Amino acid sequence: MIPRITIAEAGRHAGETVQLAGWLYNLRRSGKIAFPILRDGSGLMQCVAVKSSLPEELFETIKNLTQESSIMVTGKVRAEQRAPGGFELDVENVEVLQRVPESDPYPITPKEHGIDFLMDHRHLWLRSQHQHAIIRVRHEVIKAVRDYFDSHGFTLVDTPIFTPAACEGTTSLFEVNYFDDAKAFLTQSGQLYNEATAMAFGKVYCFGPTFRAEKSKTRRHLTEFWMVEPEMAYAGLEDVKRVAEEMIVFIVGRVLENRREELKRLERDVAKLEAIQAPFTRMSYDDAVKILQSKGSEIQWGGDFGGTDETLLTADRDRPLMVDRFPTSIKAFYFEPDPERPDVVLGVDVLAPEGYGEIVGGGQRIHDPELLLRRIEEHHLPKEAFNWYIDLRKYGTVPHGGFGMGIERCVAWICGLEHIRETIAFPRMLHRLSP
RNA sequence: UCCGCAGUAGCUCAAUGGUAGAGCAUUCGGCUGUUAACCGAAGGGUUGUAGGUUCGAGUCCUACCUGAGGAGCCA
């Protein structure tokens, strides 16, 4: 019985006859020799078919294979300097499961394509090397996130996707029918529910899809994205900052450890990632505004950063930047005010270097029931909808805090991508709902 | 939602208001070590849609559609 292996394992089988199962990535041929390159999801393998050592019919079959045809190849693995990857397979047999017809060839050729065409063919584009590398880095980032929290005493408690009301009231939500007469909204954050589970488990995190109906049309926005949100009881702003910093350093370290090959394929400057070490630069909102003004930004105290402001602040830094103590007026209702300065809140944003902007936002939450009620009124939020949330302050309230990190923004930064849309298999954007 | 930009062969792009072209892909032929292989040939077009200016429009004007970029909002 000939063993079936993956291309990634081929190096351990040099000299053995094995079977590979995959798709034809490319084919170069001359009259009497052909080099089919096989793709199986784990890597690429150059195969060699020599006319003189194969039955004529088989050689003709190989010579006429079309791109992305599904095939199983049997042959002997051999170390070969000239082959990409260092190993080659001498073809003994090829079984064709489906030959892609030349009347309707595979649309994504080895040449360049425009973004619109590629997005329309996203279901096929995922087969290409570049996309493959990005999705694998994403996998590593997600695994690192989970490993970090799992090994630091956090319990995974996922929060609902159907919610009855806005979590923050400021941004728009996707509305869906919920049976006969009720409306539900797709969640834009698990945070409020996290605050409940943190009072039950101490340290928790949720990780799932999040939805924003904002009509944002930039390289940093999706309407559906994945967010990890830790929340900790008996914790303040400094604890939030420390955990965010530790987590980011851990994630980048893991990607460097396990996904070098992918980063190389993405032509990522690895030195920039190796520089991601604690401590990150810490800065108050006040100082950030002064720096921005000195660099020519129009920002005034009390205003929020624009995309160009974030770039100005981080472009010449080699580590993430933590900005804290934002004006109360520009932040959500649940932020705890600074006890020494009630006009600012104990919130923090983490801005990735190289101009990638905000990847983490969080802070300390209000734990005083009186203040929370006042804020709900000031923001004109329906108090009844928040009864359960107010209960958390009635029954054993404690200082607590947490943050959210957008996975796609983090992956875009680590991969060094221009646009967030390639960091998720099937991106959902303002004008893109398919495939 | 706002501001400019673009739309020509399956794909990526050319074409001064005057005969619609190239590379890749596809088909046929050649080549025993190719590396987005190479060489030769062939097929492939309602120039986004509708109207207008002009002897003549891919090119100029108007509207619409679609897309990509940026702004605002945000992770």
Side-chain angles (χ1 to χ4, degrees):
Chain A
M1 187 67 188
I2 297 166
R4 163 88 59 82
I5 65 164
T6 65
I7 291 169
E9 300 165 333
R12 301 203 300 270
H13 294 267
E16 299 172 28
T17 296
V18 299
Q19 186 181 52
L20 299 175
W23 296 263
L24 186 78
Y25 184 74
N26 197 6
L27 174 69
R28 287 183 297 270
R29 63 190 172 93
S30 58
K32 290 166 186 165
I33 187 167
F35 299 92
I37 296 180
L38 190 73
R39 170 185 80 71
D40 77 343
S42 79
L44 293 181
M45 174 66 83
Q46 173 163 291
C47 307
V48 189
V50 178
K51 186 176 185 178
S52 57
S53 57
L54 291 171
E56 186 159 347
E57 201 178 319
L58 178 60
F59 186 75
E60 282 302 305
T61 300
I62 293 169
K63 224 177 76 175
N64 292 315
L65 280 173
T66 47
Q67 194 185 356
E68 288 300 316
S69 289
S70 41
I71 54 176
M72 293 195 288
V73 184
T74 308
K76 193 179 275 184
V77 179
R78 173 170 48 76
E80 170 58 66
Q81 286 291 321
R82 288 171 289 186
F87 290 91
E88 208 169 61
L89 190 91
D90 288 320
V91 175
E92 288 163 19
N93 194 20
V94 171
E95 198 178 321
V96 181
L97 274 76
Q98 188 217 20
R99 183 173 178 278
V100 175
E102 45 274 288
S103 58
D104 188 8
Y106 186 71
I108 302 180
T109 64
K111 289 276 179 173
E112 285 168 25
H113 299 281
I115 190 64
D116 185 36
F117 177 82
L118 290 171
M119 290 304 292
D120 283 343
H121 294 83
R122 182 62 173 166
H123 52 296
L124 303 176
W125 189 21
L126 290 167
R127 300 182 185 193
S128 72
Q129 293 297 288
H130 201 84
Q131 299 309 307
H132 206 267
I134 295 167
I135 297 300
R136 287 193 143 186
V137 170
R138 177 192 172 98
H139 176 195
E140 194 68 39
V141 166
I142 290 171
K143 189 169 188 311
V145 160
R146 302 192 91 110
D147 286 348
Y148 175 81
F149 288 116
D150 292 350
S151 61
H152 284 78
F154 287 75
T155 301
L156 174 72
V157 190
D158 283 320
T159 52
I161 288 171
F162 285 136
T163 60
C167 290
E168 307 186 13
T170 54
T171 50
S172 34
L173 298 167
F174 286 106
E175 192 180 295
V176 292
N177 290 324
Y178 201 74
F179 299 116
D180 294 338
D181 44 8
K183 292 287 181 201
F185 301 91
L186 299 183
T187 183
Q188 61 176 346
S189 166
Q191 185 211 312
L192 302 197
Y193 292 100
N194 264 349
E195 292 184 52
T197 62
M199 299 306 141
F201 294 88
K203 294 201 281 186
V204 298
Y205 71 103
C206 66
F207 177 60
T210 310
F211 307 87
R212 301 278 165 94
E214 293 144 6
K215 296 198 168 175
S216 303
K217 187 169 163 34
T218 79
R219 64 183 71 186
R220 296 214 282 264
H221 288 86
L222 299 171
T223 54
E224 175 184 315
F225 63 98
W226 286 66
M227 187 154 67
V228 60
E229 294 175 279
E231 191 73 25
M232 301 171 282
Y234 291 102
L237 177 63
E238 291 309 310
D239 300 301
V240 169
K241 283 154 75 175
R242 183 181 44 76
V243 170
E245 177 182 74
E246 249 184 54
M247 179 197 72
I248 291 168
V249 170
F250 182 81
I251 292 169
V252 172
R254 270 290 187 81
V255 173
L256 284 169
E257 194 180 321
N258 297 328
R259 297 294 167 194
R260 286 267 168 182
E261 203 53 39
E262 283 79 4
L263 292 174
K264 192 176 164 193
R265 190 167 299 145
L266 296 167
E267 295 176 336
R268 182 63 164 121
D269 183 352
V270 176
K272 290 242 165 56
L273 296 178
E274 284 166 342
I276 307 304
Q277 299 291 339
F280 297 169
T281 312
R282 283 149 162 87
M283 182 185 291
S284 68
Y285 170 87
D286 294 353
D287 289 340
V289 168
K290 282 177 201 155
I291 289 174
L292 286 171
Q293 286 172 341
S294 76
K295 290 189 175 182
S297 169
E298 302 272 303
I299 192 170
Q300 298 295 318
W301 196 96
D304 216 341
F305 301 144
T308 44
D309 290 326
E310 291 185 350
T311 304
L312 270 178
L313 280 173
T314 60
D316 55 352
R317 290 174 194 282
D318 59 358
R319 293 182 185 195
L321 174 68
M322 290 178 146
V323 181
D324 67 7
R325 292 178 167 78
F326 291 87
T328 308
S329 56
I330 58 170
K331 285 290 175 183
F333 74 96
Y334 50 70
F335 276 101
E336 175 78 9
D338 186 337
E340 291 163 21
R341 266 185 74 188
D343 59 329
V344 298
V345 291
L346 299 178
V348 61
D349 282 357
V350 181
L351 309 180
E354 300 170 74
Y356 275 90
E358 183 179 355
I359 54 170
V360 163
Q364 188 174 332
R365 329 298 188 188
I366 290 173
H367 64 278
D368 177 64
E370 299 298 320
L371 178 59
L372 181 64
L373 277 169
R374 206 157 68 232
R375 285 280 197 269
I376 287 173
E377 275 173 29
E378 284 167 8
H379 283 78
H380 308 295
L381 297 170
K383 182 170 165 273
E384 316 73 55
F386 288 93
N387 278 337
W388 68 267
Y389 187 66
I390 295 163
D391 267 0
L392 305 174
R393 278 74 180 170
K394 282 161 64 180
Y395 304 112
T397 192
V398 300
H400 63 286
F403 65 84
M405 181 180 77
I407 291 295
E408 288 78 11
R409 283 190 182 176
C410 179
V411 173
W413 162 53
I414 290 176
C415 290
L417 303 178
E418 277 283 299
H419 203 298
I420 196 175
R421 65 189 156 210
E422 292 173 50
T423 62
I424 186 165
F426 295 98
R428 294 291 173 254
M429 294 177 292
L430 183 51
H431 293 120
R432 170 117 8 221
L433 193 55
S434 68

